[in-house]
């Protein structure tokens, strides 16, 4: 996950109509030589003719790879110079708890940027519910004609009442990673997925604290990764935060209690102490990345940032990594793995919505995306079907690419035996509950001795309050 950072500004001033610019990205210190010569398609240059001299402000959700952030800056710089425009870019951490409130406050005050790209699963529902977004169906339909269909998950997270309020940018797969060399030593099989119980037991089997080998690299401390872990276990056990409409809280159920008891046992039962790395109780979103790359973990759950980092930095962990789609539970026999997109939104009151839409159309494909994707391999992937075929890199650049592409085409929804269909309807209440870290607070209370059933009941009440604040009467 991205690390926390203050919002920082980078501005790109257009000076000519050149379509190619071989400059390194901006940022602290010299950047490496760019891998891709970014070009602006003639069709977009023609569309931009009436926009010369204009400007747009943009928010970028900070990517884990600094090189990818620089590649993104380079693409914006090329577009600005080619079109004679000014594009101001601010980096923001997706894990800043006040991100949605801050963006909405700017919209209400009329001081907002023109566009942003954010996780559609985590933020678009909240922003739409607040009335902060512009309908961008026209852009999506134009792009469909060029690039085919977007990732199936984006149709669940970006569409409201049949209209698109976000433009899929790049696909971020969900994944888990284990040390295949440690598994081989113990004669454990490498599989496309496991049950959560198998992963727990295997983690204990491969652990050896004397050798600094810790089989379990999943925290329940406040972080986006912990939210994802806890929620996934609950869902695969048959529980959910809300019903399939996303409006009614259904959290307090026997299935949720069973899932919470399973998780809590891992962190409180002395049997599993040998597989827990020191300090796991206070990990933040970057901690599992750091410990995985240090070679001391046997299992972790993360976006492909950790995989990308090990590859680009030639870490020996890369060659010993088995990426897989995730885990199953009692309520479903396939992983709930469908990923999400970082998607562009155009804010209400945008000063230059036409330039904002042009930026989005430029960034989703071609060399603009390729430059970013090569700096964050397997983390930044095409969201659009035909973009996968646009360059040999996407078809042969990494052994994980075929599985990643299949994840963009996942047949959705995936339905548990308890009747919950995932991904569920976008739920501003659920997104707000996750942003408030109610799930991680619940697990901390269990670790401190609260009975799982009591912790679930108390958390249900807190979630109800959040939903009611979002306008959903319970």
């Amino acid at each position: 996950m991205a690390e926390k950072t203050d919002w920082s500004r980078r501005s790109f001033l257009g000076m000519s109509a050149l379509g190619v610019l071989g400059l390194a990205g901006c940022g602290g210190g010299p950047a490496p030589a760019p891998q891709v010569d970014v070009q602006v398609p003639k069709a977009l240059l023609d569309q931009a003719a009436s926009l010369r001299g204009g400007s747009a402000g943009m928010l970028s959700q900070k990517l884990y790879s600094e090189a990818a952030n620089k590649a993104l800056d380079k693409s914006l710089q090329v577009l600005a110079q080619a079109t004679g425009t000014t594009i101001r870019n601010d980096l923001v951490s997706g894990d800043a708890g006040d991100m949605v409130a801050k963006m909405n406050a700017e919209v209400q005050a009329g001081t907002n940027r023109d566009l942003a790209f954010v996780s559609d699963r985590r933020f678009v529902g909240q922003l739409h519910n607040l009335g902060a977004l512009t309908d961008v169906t026209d852009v999506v339909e134009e792009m469909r004609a060029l690039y085919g269909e977007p990732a199936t998950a984006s149709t669940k997270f970006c569409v409201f009442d049949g209209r698109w309020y976000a433009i899929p940018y790049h696909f971020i797969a969900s994944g888990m990673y284990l040390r295949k060399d440690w598994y081989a030593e113990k004669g454990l099989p490498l599989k496309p997925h496991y049950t959560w119980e198998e992963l727990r037991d295997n983690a204990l089997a491969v652990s050896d604290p004397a050798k600094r080998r810790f089989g379990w690299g999943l925290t329940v401390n406040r972080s986006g990764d912990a939210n994802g872990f806890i929620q996934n276990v609950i869902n695969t056990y048959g529980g959910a935060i809300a019903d399939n409409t996303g409006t009614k809280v259904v959290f307090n159920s026997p299935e949720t209690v069973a899932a919470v008891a399973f998780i809590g046992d891992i962190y409180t039962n002395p049997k599993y102490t040998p597989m827990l790395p020191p300090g796991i109780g206070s990990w933040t979103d970057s901690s599992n990345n750091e410990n995985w790359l240090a070679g001391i973990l046997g299992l972790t759950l993360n976006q492909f940032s950790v995989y990308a980092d090990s590859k680009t930095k030639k870490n020996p962990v890369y060659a010993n990594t088995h990426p897989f789609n995730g885990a199953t539970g009692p309520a479903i026999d396939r992983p709930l793995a469908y990923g999400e997109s970082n998607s562009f939104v155009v804010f209400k009151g945008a000063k230059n919505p036409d330039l904002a839409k042009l930026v989005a159309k430029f960034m989703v494909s071609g060399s603009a995306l390729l430059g970013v994707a090569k700096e964050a391999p397997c983390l930044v992937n095409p969201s659009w079907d035909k973009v996968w075929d646009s360059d040999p890199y996407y078809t042969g650049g990494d052994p994980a690419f075929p599985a990643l592409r299949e994840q963009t085409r996942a047949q959705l929804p995936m339905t548990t035996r308890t009747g919950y269909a995932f991904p569920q309807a976008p739920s501003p209440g659920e997104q707000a509950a996750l942003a408030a870290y109610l799930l991680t607070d619940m697990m901390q209370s269990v670790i401190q001795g609260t009975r799982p059933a009591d912790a679930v009941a108390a958390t249900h009440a807190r979630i109800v309050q959040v939903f009611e604040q979002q306008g959903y009467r319970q």
Side-chain angles (χ1 to χ4, degrees):
M1 300 291 293
E3 57 194 6
K4 288 181 173 60
T5 180
D6 292 331
W7 297 25
S8 56
R9 170 160 292 176
R10 301 173 184 182
S11 195
F12 308 111
L13 307 177
M15 296 174 286
S16 73
L18 294 177
V20 181
L21 182 64
L23 298 178
C26 295
Q35 295 188 34
V36 176
D37 285 331
V38 180
Q39 303 179 22
V40 182
K42 184 179 183 303
L44 291 185
L45 288 174
D46 292 342
Q47 291 181 30
S50 63
L51 303 176
R52 291 186 65 82
S55 64
M58 171 175 157
L59 277 176
S60 296
Q61 187 166 313
K62 191 177 189 297
L63 302 173
Y64 181 77
S65 165
E66 184 55 33
N69 290 318
K70 291 178 179 179
L72 185 145
D73 284 349
K74 177 194 168 186
S75 292
L76 293 174
Q77 189 175 24
V78 168
L79 180 66
Q81 192 161 10
T83 57
T85 58
T86 300
I87 302 170
R88 297 180 303 278
N89 183 36
D90 294 317
L91 294 178
V92 60
S93 169
D95 294 308
D98 62 347
M99 191 169 113
V100 169
K102 199 169 186 177
M103 287 190 287
N104 184 57
E106 291 180 348
V107 170
Q108 297 302 315
T111 58
N112 55 283
R113 286 80 169 168
D114 296 88
L115 77 160
F117 78 79
V118 296
S119 162
D120 52 20
R121 175 179 61 86
R122 295 175 62 187
F123 301 119
V124 172
Q126 290 183 79
L127 290 167
H128 173 262
N129 192 53
L130 291 166
L133 303 181
T134 297
D135 186 326
V136 290
T137 305
D138 58 333
V139 179
V140 173
E141 291 305 325
E142 180 182 340
M143 292 169 63
R144 268 182 162 151
L146 293 171
Y147 308 128
E149 291 300 312
T152 51
S154 66
T155 65
K156 304 295 182 181
F157 300 134
C158 301
V159 179
F160 302 86
D161 298 323
R163 307 295 294 178
W164 288 80
Y165 285 85
I167 303 161
Y169 171 29
H170 63 76
F171 181 75
I172 303 175
S174 61
M176 294 189 74
Y177 315 91
L178 60 79
R179 283 291 296 266
K180 61 184 180 182
D181 52 336
W182 296 6
Y183 267 52
E185 288 178 14
K186 296 296 182 178
L188 299 171
L190 298 180
K191 303 197 298 188
H193 59 79
Y194 302 79
T195 67
W196 280 112
E197 288 78 7
E198 282 181 299
L199 289 177
R200 176 200 60 195
D201 294 345
N202 291 347
L204 183 60
V206 302
S207 294
D208 187 344
K211 295 181 180 178
R212 287 185 56 77
R213 290 187 177 187
F214 302 95
W216 189 261
L218 308 175
T219 188
V220 290
N221 191 44
R222 280 190 166 211
S223 59
D225 291 332
N227 269 341
F229 162 51
I230 299 165
Q231 188 176 24
N232 189 274
V233 176
I234 289 171
N235 295 158
T236 60
Y237 266 64
I241 291 176
D243 67 0
N244 289 332
T245 70
T247 61
K248 181 174 178 57
V249 178
V250 296
F251 189 70
N252 192 357
S253 71
E255 293 80 13
T256 299
V257 172
V260 171
F262 166 77
I263 298 171
D265 189 51
I266 290 173
Y267 301 94
T268 57
N269 190 332
K271 174 181 178 180
Y272 300 115
T273 300
M275 73 184 192
L276 302 179
I280 192 171
S282 58
W283 277 7
T284 63
D285 271 312
S286 62
S287 301
N288 69 323
N289 299 63
E290 294 159 359
N291 282 278
W292 178 264
L293 295 171
I296 69 170
L297 300 183
L299 172 77
T300 196
L301 180 155
N302 204 283
Q303 293 177 348
F304 269 75
S305 55
V306 67
Y307 187 80
D309 222 22
S310 66
K311 182 175 183 176
T312 56
K313 295 179 179 178
K314 297 180 171 55
N315 188 309
V317 169
Y318 171 74
N320 289 313
T321 298
H322 172 57
F324 60 102
N325 281 337
T328 62
I332 193 165
D333 56 9
R334 60 173 172 152
L336 293 173
Y338 40 78
E340 63 193 77
S341 289
N342 268 340
S343 296
F344 284 104
V345 294
V346 178
F347 292 112
K348 285 277 183 70
K351 306 300 187 296
N352 198 336
D354 291 336
L355 181 54
K357 292 177 180 180
L358 187 80
V359 170
K361 288 188 280 188
F362 170 65
M363 295 296 291
V364 300
S365 69
S367 54
L369 178 65
L370 184 63
V372 182
K374 283 191 172 183
E375 297 294 355
C378 300
L379 173 62
V380 173
N381 307 289
S383 276
W384 298 82
D385 191 44
K386 291 183 180 178
V387 178
W388 278 100
D389 299 316
S390 66
D391 191 272
Y393 173 74
Y394 298 126
T395 52
D398 192 275
F401 279 155
L404 295 178
R405 185 173 187 178
E406 282 307 306
Q407 200 171 127
T408 70
R409 298 164 165 170
Q411 294 298 307
L412 303 176
M414 301 178 184
T415 304
T416 64
R417 295 182 183 95
T418 47
Y420 297 119
F422 296 99
Q424 294 173 292
S427 173
E430 179 178 310
Q431 292 177 4
L434 291 171
Y437 295 111
L438 301 190
L439 298 187
T440 58
D441 288 356
M442 173 186 66
M443 291 312 311
Q444 291 301 319
S445 72
V446 170
I447 291 171
Q448 292 164 13
T450 304
R451 293 174 59 248
D454 294 338
V456 169
T459 303
H460 180 100
R462 294 183 68 192
I463 295 173
V464 166
Q465 291 179 338
V466 170
F467 271 65
E468 289 179 342
Q469 290 167 0
Q470 295 288 327
Y472 298 113
R473 296 186 63 184
Q474 300 298 302

